[in-house]
Amino acid sequence: MTLAIDIGGATRIYPVIGDPIAQVQTPRLINPLFAEHGLDIVSVPVHTPAVRLRDVWEALRVTPNVAGIAVTVPHKVSAAGLCSSLTDAARAVGAVNTVRRAEDGAMHGALFDGVGFVEGLGDERKRLEGSTVLLIGAGGAGRAIAHALAAEKIARLHIVDERSDAAAMAASMVNQGKGCAIATTAWPDFASCGVVINATPLGLKPGDAMPLSESCIRTDMLIADIAALDRETPLLAAARRLGCATSDGDAMLKAQLGLVAGFIAGLPAGALLSQDPTAIR
């Protein structure tokens, strides 16, 4: 679906901040949704190195026609600390992926990464129940996914990260929420692992290494990578070559659009969720 986007003096801005930024798909996906629902909001990419995050944040916070901010890697955790308030999911995970700016400049942070990932699996979501899951990466998006997976009746969750403290924090969050120890920071026995999720930046840049060896992948696995790109990551390319079921970051991102658009417009978070994200091109 292609809709004309009319930008005028009253248009509010929804910038996407991140580093790198060239790969982000949010503007091309969410702008048609804003237009379809008559929301005079436009999303644009804003390249924001980590050392400039506070400067860019403050400039956007005091700009009256900024509707909010979309937050991508590597700022999801840092941005949570800059918000005036957080949704329950954002508070539990300690990260945000979207922020709504109020008229007084207050910044209200939310996190839709976890539910977006699960919804983005589509029919493959049924694989989660009873499965042993490997989650690689315990940054903002990884913790959000871990938080959402805990509600999916998985049997076991292995969370690994080069930062052992980040993995331990994510596992503790899951276990406290479940009231039992289903999450661990150890690598799984791949013979019993049914789902592998890459929530690290590996794959964003051409030439990146895979987050795990191809020899660990079985043909009956579900392999997911949260990178939203116009090309395959090395992990997804290997998985599809082997005939695995896969899910990419574009599916995750599209599944979030209705939630995010409604939240930024000041509507109840699920108000636009009935929009079929797969129909947006």
Side-chain angles (χ1 to χ4, degrees):
M1 180 188 303
T2 301
L3 295 173
I5 300 172
D6 185 14
I7 300 175
T11 300
R12 292 189 294 160
I13 304 166
Y14 179 52
V16 187
I17 61 171
D19 183 23
I21 200 68
Q23 81 287 348
V24 297
Q25 303 296 308
T26 298
R28 77 171 179 85
L29 293 171
I30 204 168
N31 283 334
L33 184 55
F34 285 142
E36 181 177 353
H37 288 276
L39 300 172
D40 194 7
I41 304 172
V42 64
S43 180
V44 294
V46 176
H47 190 182
T48 306
V51 295
R52 296 298 183 197
L53 174 59
R54 287 181 176 271
D55 296 335
V56 172
W57 183 276
E58 184 60 16
L60 297 174
R61 188 189 70 79
V62 300
T63 302
N65 69 327
V66 167
I69 304 171
V71 184
T72 188
V73 292
H75 303 316
K76 295 183 179 183
V77 173
S78 297
L82 299 175
C83 289
S84 308
S85 64
L86 299 170
T87 62
D88 290 344
R91 186 179 302 107
V93 175
V96 296
N97 75 329
T98 190
V99 179
R100 183 176 66 229
R101 180 191 178 278
E103 288 185 7
D104 63 359
M107 304 293 268
H108 304 294
L111 185 66
F112 298 117
D113 280 339
V115 66
F117 172 79
V118 170
E119 292 290 341
L121 292 177
D123 290 342
E124 300 299 340
R125 181 176 179 175
K126 61 182 180 291
R127 288 175 175 257
L128 295 176
E129 186 171 354
S131 288
T132 294
V133 181
L134 168 62
L135 174 62
I136 308 172
R143 287 203 298 276
I145 292 169
H147 185 265
L149 288 173
E152 293 299 310
K153 299 180 181 178
I154 60 173
R156 193 75 170 160
L157 178 60
H158 296 259
I159 306 172
V160 297
D161 194 291
E162 61 182 7
R163 302 159 301 166
S164 58
D165 57 335
M169 182 186 301
S172 176
M173 174 194 68
V174 170
N175 291 335
Q176 287 181 13
K178 291 288 286 186
C180 59
I182 69 162
T184 177
T185 59
W187 284 85
D189 173 3
F190 282 96
S192 62
C193 183
V195 180
V196 175
I197 304 162
N198 176 35
T200 75
L202 286 174
L204 287 180
K205 299 176 182 177
D208 276 353
M210 294 212 318
L212 79 167
S213 170
E214 185 172 337
S215 63
C216 298
I217 301 174
R218 298 194 325 272
T219 58
D220 60 340
M221 285 178 165
L222 167 62
I223 307 293
D225 197 318
I226 71 168
L229 305 170
D230 57 2
R231 57 175 173 79
E232 289 183 324
T233 63
L235 175 62
L236 288 182
R240 288 168 179 162
R241 186 169 59 249
L242 292 170
C244 299
T246 61
S247 180
D248 61 23
D250 213 30
M252 172 179 165
L253 181 57
K254 288 177 181 179
Q256 296 182 66
L257 290 180
L259 290 168
V260 170
F263 179 77
I264 290 302
L267 303 171
L272 305 183
L273 193 56
S274 60
Q275 166 69 38
D276 178 9
T278 62
I280 297 174
R281 294 293 183 264

